[in-house]
Amino acid sequence: MYATSLRLPDDIGKRLDTLAKKTGRTKSYYILEAIKEHLDDLEDIYLAEQVIQRIRRGEEKVYTSEEVEKMLEMEN
């Protein structure tokens, strides 16, 4: 299993400690749950921002829906 470390702000660390103690689960369990819950969204957001930057720099081709329809018709 992959291991990493991180520093949390005191308030979040205290909340995490409290939750773990009250539920009998580990802090690692809740950290992993939070990551699994939000990683897809973060990937979508940050990767989309990179594509937008490439489009603005003219490094990424943009197609209209009509162009895509024509390309798909040609493949059939």
Side-chain angles (χ1 to χ4, degrees):
M1 183 171 281
Y2 184 83
T4 191
S5 64
L6 71 138
R7 295 183 188 276
L8 299 173
D10 289 340
D11 60 325
I12 293 175
K14 288 175 186 174
R15 289 174 62 192
L16 188 57
D17 283 338
T18 301
L19 179 62
K21 287 175 187 170
K22 287 184 177 181
T23 62
R25 295 199 182 261
T26 65
K27 292 182 281 184
S28 293
Y29 171 84
Y30 289 110
I31 292 168
L32 182 57
E33 287 299 303
I35 290 171
K36 288 192 294 189
E37 179 71 25
H38 298 286
L39 189 56
D40 285 341
D41 293 337
L42 292 171
E43 287 172 334
D44 290 344
I45 291 166
Y46 290 105
L47 294 175
E49 287 177 354
Q50 289 179 349
V51 171
I52 290 169
Q53 292 302 318
R54 288 197 308 270
I55 290 169
R56 289 180 179 154
R57 291 190 303 261
E59 299 169 354
E60 190 87 23
K61 175 76 170 118
V62 178
Y63 299 93
T64 66
S65 57
E66 291 81 14
E67 291 172 317
V68 172
E69 286 176 11
K70 286 179 185 177
M71 285 187 275
L72 292 174
E73 287 172 7
M74 291 188 317
E75 291 180 4
N76 291 331

